[in-house]
Amino acid sequence: MTTTKPLAVCVFCSSSGTIDRLYVDLAAQAGAELARRGHSLVSGGAQVSCMGAVARAARAGGARTVGVIPEGLVSVEISDEDNDELVVTPDMRARKGEMDRRSDAFLILPGGIGTLEELLEVWTARTLAMHEKPIVILDPTGVYEPLRELMVGLTEQGFTRAKIWDAVGWATSVPEAFDLLERAQPRIESSPDDYAEAEL
């Protein structure tokens, strides 16, 4: 059990039913480790795929779970009524805002365009010093390697600044991911130029 302050960890992950089982198992491992370390979970509020797996494993380990789901997806994604708290929002933007507000840290698992959108939003905000919450990408199979290569290229071409790398951690195992989340990451200082840029 960790001696660090308990965190409300927001896990961004897939709700797709067509992915390889290993990613669902990875989500379950993340939920179990979260509970073992005494943290609580904030997730997308669905009981399917990785979203359901992380929440079920967290609850099985004794962790408090909060699900946040937009009204339009309650029936589509099948909302997880077993959450300690299920928050239904009017739309996706409100969902992300509520998840952000309730969280102390962000863990990103392999996922699709929704997960990418969530990652890029919190990554951008941390780069601009709009929050100081740690962000860790858990990628044991290299799903996000093309994204990393893209970001390296954007940095080399001047579209974004090198300090974006200070805003996010990368991990290949569940324990490593939580070690990074629990470690205080360096404060990222912003400048007026950051806000003047159309892109990071």
Side-chain angles (χ1 to χ4, degrees):
M1 185 71 68
T2 182
T3 57
T4 62
K5 177 184 175 182
L7 300 170
V9 180
C10 179
V11 176
F12 293 135
C13 59
S14 177
S15 62
S16 171
T18 61
I19 58 174
D20 194 297
R21 179 72 200 183
L22 73 89
Y23 297 113
V24 179
D25 292 341
L26 178 68
Q29 292 166 26
E33 184 71 4
L34 175 148
R36 189 186 73 80
R37 295 186 183 223
H39 303 311
S40 62
L41 172 71
V42 178
S43 69
Q47 61 171 299
V48 296
S49 191
C50 296
M51 280 191 197
V54 68
R56 285 191 296 273
R59 285 194 296 271
R64 173 178 167 79
T65 66
V66 177
V68 184
I69 190 167
E71 186 175 7
L73 294 182
V74 169
S75 59
V76 175
E77 290 187 331
I78 312 174
S79 58
D80 185 353
E81 303 294 335
D82 290 331
N83 276 294
D84 293 288
E85 185 178 357
L86 183 64
V87 181
V88 179
T89 63
D91 53 39
M92 292 289 282
R93 289 185 177 183
R95 177 201 220 179
K96 289 188 295 179
E98 188 68 13
M99 293 174 78
D100 189 347
R101 184 182 72 80
R102 288 171 174 264
S103 303
D104 302 312
F106 301 99
L107 176 63
I108 292 84
L109 306 185
I113 58 173
T115 306
L116 280 173
E117 179 196 22
E118 292 160 339
L119 163 60
L120 292 174
E121 184 165 326
V122 297
W123 191 353
T124 298
R126 181 164 165 89
T127 301
L128 292 173
M130 292 179 174
H131 70 80
E132 295 183 352
K133 301 173 184 181
I135 304 166
V136 172
I137 297 170
L138 173 56
D139 187 21
T141 62
V143 167
Y144 288 121
E145 277 307 306
L147 173 65
R148 196 202 293 245
E149 292 172 9
L150 172 64
M151 300 308 288
V152 168
L154 291 175
T155 304
E156 290 174 347
Q157 295 179 71
F159 287 106
T160 188
R161 299 186 177 205
K163 71 179 182 181
I164 66 167
W165 302 106
D166 296 330
V168 66
W170 298 74
T172 57
S173 73
V174 171
E176 180 189 12
F178 279 93
D179 286 345
L180 289 172
L181 285 175
E182 291 172 352
R183 233 175 262 156
Q185 295 191 34
R187 183 187 178 95
I188 299 169
E189 300 294 342
S190 62
S191 68
D193 288 343
D194 294 329
Y195 299 92
E197 294 184 29
E199 298 175 292
L200 297 174

